[in-house]
Amino acid sequence: MKILVTGGTGYIGSHTAVVLLQAGHEVVLLDNLCNSSPVVADRITEIAGRPVTLIEGDITDSDTLDQLFRQHSIDSVVHFAGFKAVGESTQYPLPYFGNNVAGTITLLTAMTKANVKKIVFSSSATVYGNTAPVPYVESFGRGQTNNTYGLTKSMIEQILEALSSSDPEWSIISLRYFNPVGAHESGRLGEDPAGIPNNLMPFIAQVAVGRRKQLSIFGGDYPTPDGTCRRDYIHVMDLAEGHLAALNILKPGIDAINLGTGRPLSVLEMVRAFEDVTGVKVPSQIVSRREGDLPEFWADAEKASRVMSWKAKRSLNDMMEDTWRWQLNNPDGYKITE
Ligand code: NAD
Ligand code: WQD
């Protein structure tokens, strides 16, 4: 199959591109590089041992999309492109609606024109909302989210549902990711956040490598076993393989599937695991809670196993080792290493 990967030079898209190439698919990446580097395409090719095509372009630009679909006979689309910073989304809602929601509508319109009606969409555990009980099960439905980013994911899922009801030829899977961490085992691909990382794992890695002084742990008084928040951290390569599994079972209709491990881990457990695996101390301090954080959530991972024979295989040690290898080999991300 020939697969279009939007946002394909980003963190999750790049790892997924490697998995798709290694499974024998042809891969076209579409990325406007607003949060990634073109170097990533070379590294994908290097790891997979097969070429990948990178088109620098924007999902909000219908001309680019129409041309792409004319030039390449795409069978299906894996749609990662979008903005993802939760705090920023609430401060600047319009670019989030514009890029994530309007961008997806432009993509789906171009796909319709080109008669490409298979899509796997990057959704998020955040669509379960603020009050769902744990673990999150797909049958719960969506809840009320307290940030614009989450709202865009929820809106896109609803747009996809409306599309599916309007035209039964569409084959759609929304994958709801929990907390992706880690890097490709080669140390050549990983997460390269611009500026101060919002997420836990890149922050830990940047403290360990000496780029930042200490980790602030947001809240030590949550109703959890050790007082810090718990999340379902999943290795990015497991997540990437989840996309291949989803493509393999795509059929007319629509479904939503969690990609998580089913196991919650606290912030303190993550810091300790990183220190144990790497032997590097991560100075940290418990500070006040971060607004909007939920005490704990994790996936019920049963559906992914049942419907697409996919399970997260990699261990917490793998997550830490691979993060550290990536960070050590690329202390400044993709910037000055080439
Ligand atoms: P990322 O920022 O690393 O990757 C997104 C890529 O999309 C970037 O390379 C960026 O340059 C590109 N992009 C953004 N807007 C674009 C546009 N208009 N046109 C073309 N390219 C565009 O993020 P990621 O962590 O790889 O996340 C990928 C997807 O998964 C996103 O949709 C994100 O919301 C979703 N997701 C991520 C997480 C997470 O924690 N990383 C969790 C749940 C869901
Ligand atoms: C994890 C835990 C923090 C940084 C976000 C989005 C979610 C999804 C994944 C896209 C929390 C704590 C963090 C730090 C800390 N993204 N933390 N110090 O908030 O679970 O999820 O990313 O869909 O939608 O909301 O991930 O990595 O930011 O935080 O103590 O410097 O680490 O409080 O408990 P989160 P995270």
Side-chain angles (χ1 to χ4, degrees):
M1 282 207 299
K2 193 165 193 174
I3 300 165
L4 171 63
V5 180
T6 74
T9 49
Y11 173 45
I12 307 170
S14 58
H15 291 80
T16 303
V18 167
V19 167
L20 298 179
L21 285 165
Q22 287 179 334
H25 297 300
E26 281 183 73
V27 175
V28 176
L29 311 175
L30 173 69
D31 203 300
N32 66 3
L33 306 177
C34 69
N35 196 34
S36 55
S37 159
V39 166
V40 173
D42 302 330
R43 296 207 181 173
I44 292 170
T45 297
E46 168 198 310
I47 295 169
R50 295 186 48 219
V52 70
T53 304
L54 170 62
I55 296 172
E56 192 178 333
D58 204 297
I59 56 158
T60 61
D61 178 356
S62 55
D63 291 341
T64 300
L65 292 170
D66 291 343
Q67 196 185 349
L68 189 156
F69 284 113
R70 273 196 304 274
Q71 276 175 356
H72 298 272
S73 60
I74 300 293
D75 297 291
S76 27
V77 176
V78 185
H79 177 33
F80 295 100
F83 295 151
K84 63 164 181 177
V86 172
E88 183 187 73
S89 74
T90 300
Q91 212 179 346
Y92 306 106
L94 293 180
Y96 273 73
F97 290 121
N99 203 40
N100 294 8
V101 181
T104 301
I105 293 172
T106 308
L107 172 68
L108 294 170
T109 306
M111 289 175 67
T112 307
K113 261 201 236 173
N115 202 31
V116 177
K117 295 186 176 176
K118 293 182 183 158
I119 186 166
V120 173
F121 169 60
S122 293
S123 191
S124 168
T126 190
V127 301
Y128 288 102
N130 309 325
T131 54
V134 286
Y136 292 169
V137 187
E138 292 86 344
S139 57
F140 285 173
R142 286 174 294 268
Q144 184 78 35
T145 58
N146 59 3
N147 64 78
T148 302
Y149 167 76
L151 187 53
T152 68
K153 292 293 175 191
S154 217
M155 288 168 79
I156 295 166
E157 285 200 359
Q158 290 171 72
I159 289 166
L160 291 169
E161 284 162 11
L163 187 60
S164 171
S165 329
S166 74
D167 178 354
E169 282 182 13
W170 278 87
S171 302
I172 302 172
I173 293 182
S174 289
L175 293 176
R176 295 176 175 166
Y177 312 156
F178 282 70
N179 287 59
V181 296
H184 191 266
E185 62 182 13
S186 63
R188 299 287 286 161
L189 288 178
E191 187 169 12
D192 179 20
I196 302 170
N198 296 310
N199 297 113
L200 177 66
M201 216 43 228
F203 207 105
I204 290 177
Q206 290 192 9
V207 171
V209 85
R211 259 173 88 175
R212 316 212 169 260
K213 248 177 83 189
Q214 71 169 17
L215 171 73
S216 296
I217 295 176
F218 300 137
D221 57 353
Y222 281 100
T224 57
D226 66 19
T228 65
C229 293
R230 296 200 298 168
R231 295 287 182 272
D232 186 337
Y233 297 95
I234 172 170
H235 195 295
V236 67
M237 285 303 291
D238 281 329
L239 196 74
E241 288 166 7
H243 293 76
L244 179 63
L247 284 166
N248 286 342
I249 60 144
L250 258 188
K251 60 173 192 304
I254 185 161
D255 212 352
I257 301 174
N258 289 341
L259 289 183
T261 65
R263 175 179 64 151
L265 290 165
S266 74
V267 176
L268 286 175
E269 284 172 316
M270 292 297 280
V271 173
R272 234 172 271 132
F274 183 88
E275 291 179 337
D276 288 349
V277 167
T278 63
V280 181
K281 178 98 189 98
V282 178
S284 67
Q285 191 188 4
I286 294 186
V287 301
S288 49
R289 293 179 177 194
R290 181 172 69 177
E291 206 189 319
D293 274 343
L294 295 175
E296 57 181 5
F297 61 83
W298 64 95
D300 180 318
E302 186 273 332
K303 184 172 178 182
S305 163
R306 177 168 41 87
V307 306
M308 55 185 201
S309 307
W310 171 93
K311 263 192 182 137
K313 298 190 298 237
R314 292 162 180 84
S315 67
L316 180 57
N317 274 20
D318 295 332
M319 298 180 206
M320 299 303 164
E321 265 172 21
D322 294 338
T323 299
W324 189 224
R325 188 180 304 108
W326 154 253
Q327 187 67 61
L328 273 182
N329 292 349
N330 308 268
D332 294 304
Y334 293 109
K335 284 162 208 80
I336 56 164
T337 50
E338 296 287 299

